[in-house]
Amino acid sequence: MKLIRAAFLVGSMSENWLGGLNYFRNLFSALDEWPERSVDPVLVVGRKSEVKNYGEFKRFEAVRTACLDRFHPAWFLRRSMVKLFGCDLVLGAVLKRNHIDIQSHAPSVAWSSIPIATWLSDFQHVHYPNFYGRKELLLRDLSFRRAVRFGDAI
C-alpha cells in the first residue's frame, strides 16, 4: 500500500510555541502507532526555524522553504498572491516539487492544486471572548469560516 504523503505546515517551531510542539508530538506519535499506517508525515518548515526544536521530529522528512519565513521576500510574495488571487501558488509549487498528496494544518484558500485537510485549532474565542480583542475575534471567525468553506476535509 502506498503511503499518503501529507504535508504538515508547522512553519517556524520555536521554544515560544510549546503548545504547538506538544500537539505535533502527540499527533505524530499517534500516527506512528496506528496499526494500518497510511500517512507519511512531511514537515514543512521555514528555513529560519530553530533546528534544535526538531530533535524528536528528525525521523520525519522535512521540507524547508523561505515562503514560511516571516518577512522573507518569498513570504511576501506568497501572502500577496493569496490575498490577490485566493490561491497559494508559491506553497503549491513547493509541495508539488516534493510529491505531496495532501496538506494538513494549512490555511484554507479558495483554490489549491493539492487538497487541504483543514484543522480548526480551538474554539476558545467563542467560549472566552473576553480574552480577545474585537479585531482578533473577527479574524478568528473569518479564519474558521474560510476553513469550512474552502477546505477539502476537516
Side-chain angles (χ1 to χ4, degrees):
M1 169 176 65
K2 178 187 180 273
L3 292 178
I4 297 167
R5 288 179 52 80
F8 288 85
L9 274 65
V10 295
S12 141
M13 286 187 177
S14 74
E15 293 172 352
N16 297 329
W17 196 50
L18 291 178
L21 288 170
N22 286 331
Y23 172 80
F24 281 109
R25 180 182 299 122
N26 293 332
L27 175 63
F28 296 149
S29 176
L31 287 172
D32 273 349
E33 293 175 16
W34 189 16
E36 296 91 29
R37 184 168 177 244
S38 59
V39 176
D40 182 21
V42 178
L43 304 178
V44 182
V45 299
R47 288 189 176 157
K48 293 181 182 176
S49 292
E50 298 173 30
V51 177
K52 64 183 177 183
N53 293 317
Y54 295 105
E56 61 197 276
F57 301 115
K58 284 185 180 175
R59 66 185 185 276
F60 301 110
E61 179 182 346
V63 172
R64 289 184 167 273
T65 175
C67 76
L68 295 181
D69 288 333
R70 195 169 178 87
F71 303 121
H72 187 281
W75 179 83
F76 280 114
L77 175 64
R78 178 177 176 233
R79 284 183 53 101
S80 299
M81 292 187 76
V82 168
K83 285 185 187 249
L84 288 172
F85 305 113
C87 58
D88 198 343
L89 296 174
V90 175
L91 182 62
V94 171
L95 299 179
K96 275 196 176 292
R97 192 170 47 247
N98 287 279
H99 310 287
I100 298 299
D101 299 310
I102 190 166
Q103 303 175 63
S104 184
H105 297 69
S108 295
V109 292
W111 179 85
S112 175
S113 59
I114 297 175
I116 299 172
T118 299
W119 174 66
L120 301 176
S121 57
D122 61 52
F123 294 91
Q124 290 184 27
H125 71 289
V126 174
H127 298 289
Y128 303 103
N130 53 317
F131 292 162
Y132 299 87
R134 184 172 182 200
K135 182 178 178 182
E136 190 172 2
L137 285 169
L138 291 172
L139 290 174
R140 285 179 67 97
D141 279 340
L142 178 63
S143 172
F144 279 44
R145 286 192 177 109
R146 287 182 61 83
V148 170
R149 181 172 179 202
F150 297 122
D152 296 290
I154 295 180

